[in-house]
Amino acid sequence: MNNIRTATAITTLGLVAAMMAGCASAAGSTPEAEEVTELRLGYFANVTHAPALVGLEEGLFEDALGDIDVTTSVFNAGPGAIEALTAGAIDATYIGPNPSINTFIQSGGASARIVAGAATGGAALVVADGIDSPEDLAGTTLASPQLGNTQDVALRVWLADQGYQTDVSGGGDVSVTPTENAQTLTLFQQGDLDGAWLPEPWVSRLVIDEGAEVLVDEAELWPEGEFPTTVLLVRAEFLEEHPDVVEQLLEGHVAAVQWIADNPGEAPGVINAAIEAETGKPLSDAVIERALEHVTFSADPHADTFETLVANGLEAGTQKEGSIDGLFDLRLLNGLLEASGTEPVSAAGLGEDSP
């Protein structure tokens, strides 16, 4: 199986590790900070979070963090992960871009920083048989993972572009009902939902297992089909106090992205095993294969798309107005990439990116 798409290839991890000390000063040094013995990491049991799944399953975070233990929390969607991050219950999380934008704006830039990308693509609107065009959606009920999450915003903005009105209470021409992904599958099976805008593997589960049709592949809505689905977000205070630990986390993250690129035959099984461990049931081979065909894994967060994402959140009514200047801190990541001979990634003027 050679269907896994990757970008921003990274060379040998050993060279990356050798340069760690030199890069640590990029985000500032705070020797007075307490020694860290635990890193608390959030993620979702989704294919779009495969770098997290692989990093944990293959011990790549463990290797990079050494004596620092990794403890994990699994979420259904971004807003729940943001609540945990804001409360200080986790230090970092894999998450969609829109919740990252929301917490940054709502906190006046004090809450968190995006330190890397993880995945692009892998989201779509799937619908029941008989819905063949946007015109067929009037009066239907559609699901999204959670109010204000990345797919929820994409769905509301796309519906508005088709001339439909929605509101955050489920009213309007089309009812948008934020629903946990597993429950969306059940409701679709029962005929209580007409469709949903979802990330992978849930798109492929509805298509393969339930006969749903893809009405809109979100890749069709972005230039060159590239849009960020998952980024790595770190609590700003943790980054400031422990840049060395964040760099180690990034080393594990970069290694996971590269592992996926280097092991296209083995990666589906590893990702599926991690999903089974969290959900209690593995995906079928057909579902995991289809899902991976629609996702690209990369450390590039595609910062140049974020102004558009801000505009989308405002249009959807799920976000406050505000600036995202400073949202990105890619200095540690770019130090690692440059050390491995890989091109650095850009913050697009929305933060720091020079190691």
Side-chain angles (χ1 to χ4, degrees):
M1 191 183 306
N2 295 306
N3 54 347
I4 299 172
R5 300 190 295 167
T6 58
T8 312
I10 297 97
T11 56
T12 56
L13 186 57
L15 179 57
V16 172
M19 296 298 294
M20 281 177 54
C23 299
S25 61
S29 177
T30 55
E32 301 84 5
E34 290 185 16
E35 181 181 357
V36 176
T37 59
E38 176 187 41
L39 176 79
R40 300 165 299 171
L41 181 66
Y43 66 98
F44 313 162
N46 289 346
V47 170
T48 51
H49 287 226
L53 303 178
V54 167
L56 292 166
E57 195 77 6
E58 291 297 301
L60 300 174
F61 293 131
E62 182 180 359
D63 291 344
L65 286 159
D67 293 335
I68 299 173
D69 294 330
V70 181
T71 58
T72 60
S73 298
V74 183
F75 300 93
N76 173 66
I82 290 298
E83 289 180 11
L85 195 77
T86 302
I90 57 175
D91 305 307
T93 188
Y94 287 82
I95 196 168
N98 284 94
S100 304
I101 290 168
N102 287 345
T103 186
F104 187 85
I105 290 176
Q106 289 172 2
S107 69
S111 61
R113 299 288 183 272
I114 294 173
V115 297
T120 61
L125 172 60
V126 291
V127 294
D129 185 47
I131 299 176
D132 302 314
S133 69
E135 290 73 25
D136 296 328
L137 291 173
T140 60
T141 299
L142 305 177
S144 67
Q146 193 170 359
L147 179 65
N149 98 306
T150 301
Q151 288 78 48
D152 182 72
V153 170
L155 173 57
R156 293 176 189 276
V157 170
W158 181 82
L159 287 170
D161 289 345
Q162 308 310 308
Y164 293 115
Q165 291 186 338
T166 65
D167 63 45
V168 296
S169 300
D173 304 319
V174 177
S175 176
V176 177
T177 305
T179 307
E180 185 176 344
N181 292 326
Q183 184 66 10
T184 291
L185 177 63
T186 300
L187 293 172
F188 189 84
Q189 290 169 332
Q190 296 171 346
D192 294 327
L193 279 176
D194 300 297
W197 199 297
L198 298 168
E200 292 290 4
W202 298 99
V203 171
S204 293
R205 287 203 66 179
L206 265 67
V207 169
I208 299 293
D209 296 341
E210 305 303 328
E213 298 289 338
V214 174
L215 187 62
V216 182
D217 184 334
E218 190 172 345
E220 299 169 358
L221 308 180
W222 290 89
E224 300 181 4
E226 293 183 343
F227 64 99
T229 310
T230 309
V231 297
L232 182 55
L233 186 73
V234 175
R235 191 158 46 86
E237 183 181 17
F238 189 85
L239 175 62
E240 180 180 356
E241 293 181 353
H242 306 290
D244 54 334
V245 178
V246 175
E247 185 174 44
Q248 289 172 279
L249 171 64
L250 283 167
E251 181 191 354
H253 171 67
V254 167
V257 171
Q258 186 62 37
W259 190 96
I260 296 170
D262 291 342
N263 298 275
E266 190 177 350
V270 171
I271 295 166
N272 210 1
I275 290 174
E276 180 181 10
E278 296 299 336
T279 65
K281 185 178 180 180
L283 303 173
S284 69
D285 290 344
V287 167
I288 192 74
E289 181 175 356
R290 186 193 181 282
L292 286 169
E293 287 175 350
H294 290 81
V295 185
T296 298
F297 302 105
S298 170
D300 186 350
H302 292 276
D304 58 326
T305 66
F306 274 68
E307 294 286 12
T308 298
L309 292 167
V310 170
N312 289 348
L314 291 171
E315 183 179 350
T318 60
Q319 179 189 300
K320 294 170 57 178
E321 289 193 24
S323 171
I324 57 169
D325 289 347
L327 174 59
F328 294 89
D329 191 338
L330 306 177
R331 292 175 289 177
L332 295 172
L333 172 66
N334 280 336
L336 294 173
L337 295 179
E338 288 188 0
S340 68
T342 303
E343 286 292 318
V345 297
S346 172
L350 299 174
E352 303 285 349
D353 56 16
S354 296

